Amino acid sequence: MKLKEFIQNKAWKKWDKSQWTIIILTGVLLMILAIPTENKKKEAETQKKEEKEAVKESSSDKKSYVQEMESRLEETLSAIEGAGRVEVMITLEDMGESVVEKDTAKESSDLQETDREGGIRKDSTVQITGETVYEEKSSEKTPFVGKEISPKIAGVLVVAQGGENTVVKQNISEAVMALFQIDVNRIKVVKMNIQEEKY
């Protein structure tokens, strides 16, 4: 029955109470589903706040990581014979990575079909699902981090008082290469400015 015929024939006038009740309840249910709940709004807001805090925290973690590595490297390189006072600048290629532990479940299913000519077709599917493992600390759930991967070093600049000496340059470069596992083309060793030495 088409809608136009339904309206013209006034078939809706012949409906009994149960049909009308179903229509009304369906409409109410659709309205309820369309209205966003406060819980969903709160969850979305808290998720946005957590993401912003995570970005701020990771950038501050990156700065503190770089500062710590620079100070340790300055202390170590200044102990090299002929290097004198040393200042270091380190740049990072990435932020590092935290690998979260997951419980994995593996499901497999086999399907066998036979066609009209008697040919057999086999189809196997494997589905692997993972669920994040959480640890609870003082009523807060946080993902369990199984492994931390340190940020990758993009380049190192070393400004040293003895930076004009070829042997000192080579020793500093080799030390940085050994410590950070980076190529020599990512390391630059230069002589410290005389004005800088006064401070």
Side-chain angles (χ1 to χ4, degrees):
M1 180 181 289
K2 294 181 181 175
L3 182 63
K4 190 175 182 181
E5 291 175 12
F6 178 75
I7 294 171
Q8 286 177 348
N9 294 336
K10 298 182 182 180
W12 51 272
K13 286 188 174 184
K14 298 176 187 171
W15 284 3
D16 63 0
K17 286 183 182 180
S18 64
Q19 290 173 320
W20 280 109
T21 305
I22 291 172
I23 293 293
I24 291 171
L25 289 175
T26 304
V28 170
L29 181 63
L30 289 174
M31 286 175 49
I32 290 172
L33 291 175
I35 298 172
T37 63
E38 288 186 29
N39 288 341
K40 288 181 183 177
K41 288 180 184 177
K42 287 180 182 177
E43 286 177 13
E45 288 174 8
T46 55
Q47 186 175 1
K48 286 180 185 178
K49 286 180 184 177
E50 287 174 359
E51 287 173 1
K52 286 180 184 177
E53 288 174 9
V55 168
K56 286 179 186 176
E57 195 174 297
S58 66
S59 64
S60 67
D61 286 348
K62 178 181 176 184
K63 285 180 184 176
S64 64
Y65 175 79
V66 169
Q67 288 171 346
E68 182 185 342
M69 294 306 290
E70 286 174 347
S71 65
R72 289 176 65 191
L73 188 59
E74 285 172 2
E75 186 179 324
T76 305
L77 295 180
S78 63
I80 293 176
E81 186 179 341
R85 194 167 75 95
V86 175
E87 289 186 14
V88 174
M89 180 178 173
I90 297 175
T91 57
L92 300 180
E93 197 171 297
D94 61 20
M95 298 286 287
E97 187 178 349
S98 297
V99 180
V100 177
E101 286 292 324
K102 292 191 175 197
D103 282 337
T104 55
K106 185 176 178 181
E107 294 179 23
S108 61
S109 60
D110 295 323
L111 176 68
Q112 184 173 337
E113 295 178 343
T114 307
D115 59 15
R116 292 181 200 170
E117 287 84 39
I120 297 173
R121 184 176 72 105
K122 292 183 179 182
D123 188 21
S124 297
T125 57
V126 176
Q127 183 178 5
I128 299 174
T129 56
E131 189 173 310
T132 304
V133 177
Y134 289 94
E135 60 182 342
E136 289 188 40
K137 292 181 181 175
S138 65
S139 73
E140 286 185 22
K141 289 177 95 175
T142 55
F144 182 76
V145 177
K147 181 169 59 167
E148 288 279 346
I149 299 173
S150 298
K152 288 184 182 175
I153 305 290
V156 177
L157 171 64
V158 180
V159 181
Q161 285 178 326
E164 81 282 350
N165 186 326
T166 311
V167 175
V168 173
K169 272 187 176 182
Q170 183 177 358
N171 288 338
I172 289 174
S173 294
E174 288 174 357
V176 173
M177 287 171 53
L179 288 171
F180 297 115
Q181 304 296 313
I182 59 174
D183 295 329
V184 72
N185 63 341
R186 293 180 176 226
I187 303 165
K188 181 70 176 174
V189 181
V190 294
K191 181 179 177 0
M192 188 175 283
N193 189 347
I194 297 171
Q195 293 173 350
E196 186 69 30
E197 289 182 18
K198 292 178 183 178
Y199 293 107

mmCIF file of all heavy atoms in Angstrom, residues 25-62:
data_model
loop_
_atom_site.group_PDB
_atom_site.id
_atom_site.type_symbol
_atom_site.label_atom_id
_atom_site.label_comp_id
_atom_site.label_asym_id
_atom_site.label_seq_id
_atom_site.Cartn_x
_atom_site.Cartn_y
_atom_site.Cartn_z
ATOM 1 N N LEU A 25 4.797 4.449 20.771
ATOM 2 C CA LEU A 25 5.979 3.989 21.496
ATOM 3 C C LEU A 25 7.231 4.014 20.623
ATOM 4 O O LEU A 25 8.319 4.337 21.095
ATOM 5 C CB LEU A 25 5.750 2.586 22.058
ATOM 6 C CG LEU A 25 4.759 2.489 23.227
ATOM 7 C CD1 LEU A 25 4.530 1.034 23.602
ATOM 8 C CD2 LEU A 25 5.254 3.284 24.415
ATOM 9 N N THR A 26 7.075 3.680 19.354
ATOM 10 C CA THR A 26 8.202 3.737 18.426
ATOM 11 C C THR A 26 8.713 5.170 18.289
ATOM 12 O O THR A 26 9.919 5.425 18.306
ATOM 13 C CB THR A 26 7.805 3.172 17.041
ATOM 14 O OG1 THR A 26 7.312 1.847 17.199
ATOM 15 C CG2 THR A 26 8.985 3.176 16.092
ATOM 16 N N GLY A 27 7.784 6.116 18.178
ATOM 17 C CA GLY A 27 8.159 7.527 18.085
ATOM 18 C C GLY A 27 8.872 8.003 19.335
ATOM 19 O O GLY A 27 9.897 8.709 19.264
ATOM 20 N N VAL A 28 8.349 7.630 20.506
ATOM 21 C CA VAL A 28 8.973 8.022 21.772
ATOM 22 C C VAL A 28 10.367 7.411 21.880
ATOM 23 O O VAL A 28 11.323 8.078 22.306
ATOM 24 C CB VAL A 28 8.075 7.610 22.968
ATOM 25 C CG1 VAL A 28 8.819 7.781 24.279
ATOM 26 C CG2 VAL A 28 6.786 8.406 22.979
ATOM 27 N N LEU A 29 10.512 6.157 21.517
ATOM 28 C CA LEU A 29 11.811 5.493 21.564
ATOM 29 C C LEU A 29 12.823 6.180 20.654
ATOM 30 O O LEU A 29 13.978 6.392 21.043
ATOM 31 C CB LEU A 29 11.658 4.013 21.174
ATOM 32 C CG LEU A 29 12.927 3.184 21.205
ATOM 33 C CD1 LEU A 29 13.475 3.115 22.623
ATOM 34 C CD2 LEU A 29 12.680 1.794 20.679
ATOM 35 N N LEU A 30 12.420 6.550 19.455
ATOM 36 C CA LEU A 30 13.314 7.253 18.531
ATOM 37 C C LEU A 30 13.740 8.606 19.102
ATOM 38 O O LEU A 30 14.883 9.028 18.950
ATOM 39 C CB LEU A 30 12.652 7.426 17.167
ATOM 40 C CG LEU A 30 12.499 6.146 16.334
ATOM 41 C CD1 LEU A 30 11.695 6.417 15.079
ATOM 42 C CD2 LEU A 30 13.866 5.582 15.977
ATOM 43 N N MET A 31 12.817 9.298 19.767
ATOM 44 C CA MET A 31 13.145 10.592 20.370
ATOM 45 C C MET A 31 14.162 10.412 21.505
ATOM 46 O O MET A 31 15.095 11.190 21.645
ATOM 47 C CB MET A 31 11.877 11.277 20.895
ATOM 48 C CG MET A 31 11.010 11.830 19.775
ATOM 49 S SD MET A 31 9.446 12.522 20.334
ATOM 50 C CE MET A 31 9.903 13.570 21.659
ATOM 51 N N ILE A 32 13.978 9.375 22.315
ATOM 52 C CA ILE A 32 14.895 9.120 23.433
ATOM 53 C C ILE A 32 16.290 8.794 22.915
ATOM 54 O O ILE A 32 17.294 9.257 23.457
ATOM 55 C CB ILE A 32 14.359 7.988 24.332
ATOM 56 C CG1 ILE A 32 13.120 8.479 25.090
ATOM 57 C CG2 ILE A 32 15.430 7.501 25.295
ATOM 58 C CD1 ILE A 32 12.402 7.394 25.855
ATOM 59 N N LEU A 33 16.353 8.002 21.857
ATOM 60 C CA LEU A 33 17.653 7.648 21.284
ATOM 61 C C LEU A 33 18.351 8.852 20.668
ATOM 62 O O LEU A 33 19.581 8.925 20.662
ATOM 63 C CB LEU A 33 17.495 6.543 20.240
ATOM 64 C CG LEU A 33 17.092 5.166 20.768
ATOM 65 C CD1 LEU A 33 16.852 4.209 19.611
ATOM 66 C CD2 LEU A 33 18.168 4.614 21.691
ATOM 67 N N ALA A 34 17.579 9.802 20.162
ATOM 68 C CA ALA A 34 18.159 10.971 19.509
ATOM 69 C C ALA A 34 18.701 11.990 20.500
ATOM 70 O O ALA A 34 19.592 12.774 20.177
ATOM 71 C CB ALA A 34 17.128 11.635 18.607
ATOM 72 N N ILE A 35 18.194 11.992 21.731
ATOM 73 C CA ILE A 35 18.630 12.965 22.728
ATOM 74 C C ILE A 35 19.935 12.477 23.360
ATOM 75 O O ILE A 35 19.994 11.390 23.915
ATOM 76 C CB ILE A 35 17.551 13.146 23.827
ATOM 77 C CG1 ILE A 35 16.256 13.693 23.213
ATOM 78 C CG2 ILE A 35 18.070 14.066 24.930
ATOM 79 C CD1 ILE A 35 15.098 13.711 24.186
ATOM 80 N N PRO A 36 20.998 13.311 23.288
ATOM 81 C CA PRO A 36 22.254 12.895 23.929
ATOM 82 C C PRO A 36 22.119 12.982 25.450
ATOM 83 O O PRO A 36 21.539 13.912 25.985
ATOM 84 C CB PRO A 36 23.275 13.899 23.417
ATOM 85 C CG PRO A 36 22.494 15.075 22.975
ATOM 86 C CD PRO A 36 21.130 14.567 22.600
ATOM 87 N N THR A 37 22.665 12.001 26.107
ATOM 88 C CA THR A 37 22.572 11.987 27.563
ATOM 89 C C THR A 37 23.708 12.804 28.167
ATOM 90 O O THR A 37 24.717 13.062 27.516
ATOM 91 C CB THR A 37 22.648 10.542 28.093
ATOM 92 O OG1 THR A 37 23.918 10.006 27.747
ATOM 93 C CG2 THR A 37 21.541 9.690 27.529
ATOM 94 N N GLU A 38 23.547 13.188 29.411
ATOM 95 C CA GLU A 38 24.572 13.964 30.098
ATOM 96 C C GLU A 38 25.839 13.139 30.306
ATOM 97 O O GLU A 38 26.938 13.671 30.272
ATOM 98 C CB GLU A 38 24.042 14.461 31.440
ATOM 99 C CG GLU A 38 23.030 15.564 31.304
ATOM 100 C CD GLU A 38 22.636 16.143 32.650
ATOM 101 O OE1 GLU A 38 23.463 16.120 33.574
ATOM 102 O OE2 GLU A 38 21.507 16.607 32.761
ATOM 103 N N ASN A 39 25.667 11.834 30.492
ATOM 104 C CA ASN A 39 26.846 10.976 30.691
ATOM 105 C C ASN A 39 27.739 10.992 29.463
ATOM 106 O O ASN A 39 28.959 11.036 29.571
ATOM 107 C CB ASN A 39 26.434 9.542 31.009
ATOM 108 C CG ASN A 39 25.855 9.401 32.402
ATOM 109 O OD1 ASN A 39 26.069 10.259 33.249
ATOM 110 N ND2 ASN A 39 25.141 8.323 32.635
ATOM 111 N N LYS A 40 27.121 10.948 28.282
ATOM 112 C CA LYS A 40 27.913 10.968 27.052
ATOM 113 C C LYS A 40 28.643 12.291 26.922
ATOM 114 O O LYS A 40 29.804 12.337 26.503
ATOM 115 C CB LYS A 40 27.017 10.733 25.837
ATOM 116 C CG LYS A 40 26.513 9.314 25.707
ATOM 117 C CD LYS A 40 25.670 9.149 24.473
ATOM 118 C CE LYS A 40 25.086 7.740 24.378
ATOM 119 N NZ LYS A 40 24.208 7.587 23.229
ATOM 120 N N LYS A 41 27.962 13.394 27.272
ATOM 121 C CA LYS A 41 28.606 14.704 27.197
ATOM 122 C C LYS A 41 29.770 14.784 28.169
ATOM 123 O O LYS A 41 30.843 15.275 27.833
ATOM 124 C CB LYS A 41 27.594 15.818 27.516
ATOM 125 C CG LYS A 41 26.566 16.052 26.438
ATOM 126 C CD LYS A 41 25.620 17.162 26.846
ATOM 127 C CE LYS A 41 24.518 17.348 25.826
ATOM 128 N NZ LYS A 41 23.548 18.370 26.247
ATOM 129 N N LYS A 42 29.560 14.306 29.393
ATOM 130 C CA LYS A 42 30.619 14.345 30.406
ATOM 131 C C LYS A 42 31.798 13.481 29.988
ATOM 132 O O LYS A 42 32.960 13.868 30.159
ATOM 133 C CB LYS A 42 30.083 13.878 31.756
ATOM 134 C CG LYS A 42 29.180 14.889 32.422
ATOM 135 C CD LYS A 42 28.675 14.384 33.748
ATOM 136 C CE LYS A 42 27.720 15.382 34.387
ATOM 137 N NZ LYS A 42 27.158 14.887 35.646
ATOM 138 N N GLU A 43 31.521 12.316 29.427
ATOM 139 C CA GLU A 43 32.596 11.433 28.972
ATOM 140 C C GLU A 43 33.407 12.101 27.870
ATOM 141 O O GLU A 43 34.637 12.024 27.868
ATOM 142 C CB GLU A 43 32.022 10.106 28.458
ATOM 143 C CG GLU A 43 31.542 9.183 29.550
ATOM 144 C CD GLU A 43 30.914 7.914 29.002
ATOM 145 O OE1 GLU A 43 31.065 7.631 27.798
ATOM 146 O OE2 GLU A 43 30.271 7.200 29.791
ATOM 147 N N ALA A 44 32.721 12.759 26.932
ATOM 148 C CA ALA A 44 33.425 13.439 25.846
ATOM 149 C C ALA A 44 34.272 14.590 26.383
ATOM 150 O O ALA A 44 35.414 14.784 25.943
ATOM 151 C CB ALA A 44 32.424 13.970 24.821
ATOM 152 N N GLU A 45 33.742 15.336 27.351
ATOM 153 C CA GLU A 45 34.492 16.446 27.935
ATOM 154 C C GLU A 45 35.717 15.948 28.691
ATOM 155 O O GLU A 45 36.805 16.503 28.549
ATOM 156 C CB GLU A 45 33.593 17.258 28.879
ATOM 157 C CG GLU A 45 32.558 18.084 28.155
ATOM 158 C CD GLU A 45 31.581 18.767 29.114
ATOM 159 O OE1 GLU A 45 31.804 18.723 30.342
ATOM 160 O OE2 GLU A 45 30.604 19.346 28.626
ATOM 161 N N THR A 46 35.544 14.905 29.494
ATOM 162 C CA THR A 46 36.689 14.381 30.248
ATOM 163 C C THR A 46 37.747 13.796 29.313
ATOM 164 O O THR A 46 38.939 13.923 29.572
ATOM 165 C CB THR A 46 36.263 13.317 31.275
ATOM 166 O OG1 THR A 46 35.541 12.273 30.607
ATOM 167 C CG2 THR A 46 35.409 13.913 32.366
ATOM 168 N N GLN A 47 37.301 13.172 28.231
ATOM 169 C CA GLN A 47 38.255 12.620 27.274
ATOM 170 C C GLN A 47 39.065 13.740 26.620
ATOM 171 O O GLN A 47 40.280 13.623 26.451
ATOM 172 C CB GLN A 47 37.524 11.797 26.209
ATOM 173 C CG GLN A 47 38.453 11.076 25.267
ATOM 174 C CD GLN A 47 37.709 10.176 24.294
ATOM 175 O OE1 GLN A 47 36.491 10.092 24.306
ATOM 176 N NE2 GLN A 47 38.462 9.515 23.452
ATOM 177 N N LYS A 48 38.396 14.853 26.267
ATOM 178 C CA LYS A 48 39.116 15.987 25.673
ATOM 179 C C LYS A 48 40.119 16.569 26.660
ATOM 180 O O LYS A 48 41.246 16.895 26.297
ATOM 181 C CB LYS A 48 38.126 17.079 25.238
ATOM 182 C CG LYS A 48 37.351 16.739 23.994
ATOM 183 C CD LYS A 48 36.389 17.836 23.619
ATOM 184 C CE LYS A 48 35.532 17.445 22.431
ATOM 185 N NZ LYS A 48 34.550 18.482 22.087
ATOM 186 N N LYS A 49 39.705 16.701 27.937
ATOM 187 C CA LYS A 49 40.617 17.225 28.956
ATOM 188 C C LYS A 49 41.819 16.315 29.127
ATOM 189 O O LYS A 49 42.952 16.780 29.229
ATOM 190 C CB LYS A 49 39.890 17.368 30.300
ATOM 191 C CG LYS A 49 38.935 18.535 30.356
ATOM 192 C CD LYS A 49 38.259 18.608 31.710
ATOM 193 C CE LYS A 49 37.216 19.708 31.751
ATOM 194 N NZ LYS A 49 36.507 19.747 33.036
ATOM 195 N N GLU A 50 41.579 14.994 29.166
ATOM 196 C CA GLU A 50 42.678 14.037 29.321
ATOM 197 C C GLU A 50 43.646 14.111 28.153
ATOM 198 O O GLU A 50 44.860 14.018 28.337
ATOM 199 C CB GLU A 50 42.126 12.618 29.456
ATOM 200 C CG GLU A 50 41.466 12.350 30.790
ATOM 201 C CD GLU A 50 40.802 10.988 30.859
ATOM 202 O OE1 GLU A 50 40.827 10.252 29.853
ATOM 203 O OE2 GLU A 50 40.245 10.674 31.925
ATOM 204 N N GLU A 51 43.108 14.276 26.932
ATOM 205 C CA GLU A 51 43.974 14.375 25.756
ATOM 206 C C GLU A 51 44.835 15.631 25.827
ATOM 207 O O GLU A 51 46.023 15.597 25.513
ATOM 208 C CB GLU A 51 43.132 14.378 24.476
ATOM 209 C CG GLU A 51 42.532 13.026 24.151
ATOM 210 C CD GLU A 51 41.562 13.066 22.990
ATOM 211 O OE1 GLU A 51 41.344 14.150 22.405
ATOM 212 O OE2 GLU A 51 40.995 12.009 22.666
ATOM 213 N N LYS A 52 44.226 16.779 26.244
ATOM 214 C CA LYS A 52 44.993 18.016 26.357
ATOM 215 C C LYS A 52 46.079 17.889 27.413
ATOM 216 O O LYS A 52 47.208 18.332 27.205
ATOM 217 C CB LYS A 52 44.061 19.188 26.720
ATOM 218 C CG LYS A 52 43.201 19.654 25.577
ATOM 219 C CD LYS A 52 42.313 20.804 25.994
ATOM 220 C CE LYS A 52 41.383 21.215 24.870
ATOM 221 N NZ LYS A 52 40.467 22.294 25.286
ATOM 222 N N GLU A 53 45.740 17.284 28.559
ATOM 223 C CA GLU A 53 46.723 17.097 29.626
ATOM 224 C C GLU A 53 47.846 16.171 29.174
ATOM 225 O O GLU A 53 49.007 16.398 29.509
ATOM 226 C CB GLU A 53 46.045 16.538 30.875
ATOM 227 C CG GLU A 53 45.171 17.534 31.586
ATOM 228 C CD GLU A 53 44.393 16.921 32.739
ATOM 229 O OE1 GLU A 53 44.662 15.756 33.093
ATOM 230 O OE2 GLU A 53 43.527 17.622 33.276
ATOM 231 N N ALA A 54 47.487 15.136 28.411
ATOM 232 C CA ALA A 54 48.512 14.202 27.919
ATOM 233 C C ALA A 54 49.479 14.902 26.976
ATOM 234 O O ALA A 54 50.690 14.655 27.019
ATOM 235 C CB ALA A 54 47.855 13.014 27.228
ATOM 236 N N VAL A 55 48.952 15.805 26.118
ATOM 237 C CA VAL A 55 49.821 16.538 25.197
ATOM 238 C C VAL A 55 50.751 17.460 25.977
ATOM 239 O O VAL A 55 51.952 17.528 25.715
ATOM 240 C CB VAL A 55 48.974 17.340 24.177
ATOM 241 C CG1 VAL A 55 49.827 18.318 23.399
ATOM 242 C CG2 VAL A 55 48.259 16.397 23.226
ATOM 243 N N LYS A 56 50.192 18.180 26.982
ATOM 244 C CA LYS A 56 51.024 19.066 27.799
ATOM 245 C C LYS A 56 52.082 18.265 28.548
ATOM 246 O O LYS A 56 53.246 18.654 28.627
ATOM 247 C CB LYS A 56 50.160 19.817 28.818
ATOM 248 C CG LYS A 56 49.320 20.907 28.221
ATOM 249 C CD LYS A 56 48.491 21.583 29.301
ATOM 250 C CE LYS A 56 47.529 22.588 28.715
ATOM 251 N NZ LYS A 56 46.659 23.177 29.750
ATOM 252 N N GLU A 57 51.664 17.140 29.122
ATOM 253 C CA GLU A 57 52.580 16.308 29.902
ATOM 254 C C GLU A 57 53.691 15.750 29.033
ATOM 255 O O GLU A 57 54.853 15.742 29.421
ATOM 256 C CB GLU A 57 51.792 15.159 30.545
ATOM 257 C CG GLU A 57 52.536 14.447 31.635
ATOM 258 C CD GLU A 57 51.657 13.427 32.315
ATOM 259 O OE1 GLU A 57 50.647 13.812 32.919
ATOM 260 O OE2 GLU A 57 51.996 12.235 32.232
ATOM 261 N N SER A 58 53.333 15.304 27.821
ATOM 262 C CA SER A 58 54.360 14.728 26.947
ATOM 263 C C SER A 58 55.344 15.786 26.485
ATOM 264 O O SER A 58 56.537 15.507 26.367
ATOM 265 C CB SER A 58 53.716 14.026 25.750
ATOM 266 O OG SER A 58 53.058 14.963 24.928
ATOM 267 N N SER A 59 54.887 17.026 26.240
ATOM 268 C CA SER A 59 55.826 18.068 25.833
ATOM 269 C C SER A 59 56.732 18.465 26.991
ATOM 270 O O SER A 59 57.920 18.711 26.801
ATOM 271 C CB SER A 59 55.080 19.292 25.287
ATOM 272 O OG SER A 59 54.303 19.889 26.299
ATOM 273 N N SER A 60 56.187 18.504 28.216
ATOM 274 C CA SER A 60 57.046 18.815 29.367
ATOM 275 C C SER A 60 57.999 17.649 29.642
ATOM 276 O O SER A 60 59.148 17.871 30.034
ATOM 277 C CB SER A 60 56.211 19.135 30.605
ATOM 278 O OG SER A 60 55.521 17.999 31.053
ATOM 279 N N ASP A 61 57.538 16.409 29.441
ATOM 280 C CA ASP A 61 58.421 15.249 29.592
ATOM 281 C C ASP A 61 59.559 15.310 28.576
ATOM 282 O O ASP A 61 60.702 14.981 28.892
ATOM 283 C CB ASP A 61 57.645 13.943 29.408
ATOM 284 C CG ASP A 61 56.763 13.619 30.599
ATOM 285 O OD1 ASP A 61 56.913 14.274 31.642
ATOM 286 O OD2 ASP A 61 55.919 12.708 30.460
ATOM 287 N N LYS A 62 59.235 15.731 27.364
ATOM 288 C CA LYS A 62 60.237 15.828 26.306
ATOM 289 C C LYS A 62 61.292 16.865 26.687
ATOM 290 O O LYS A 62 62.483 16.618 26.562
ATOM 291 C CB LYS A 62 59.560 16.210 24.995
ATOM 292 C CG LYS A 62 60.497 16.380 23.826
ATOM 293 C CD LYS A 62 59.743 16.784 22.588
ATOM 294 C CE LYS A 62 60.670 17.057 21.428
ATOM 295 N NZ LYS A 62 59.960 17.528 20.245
#
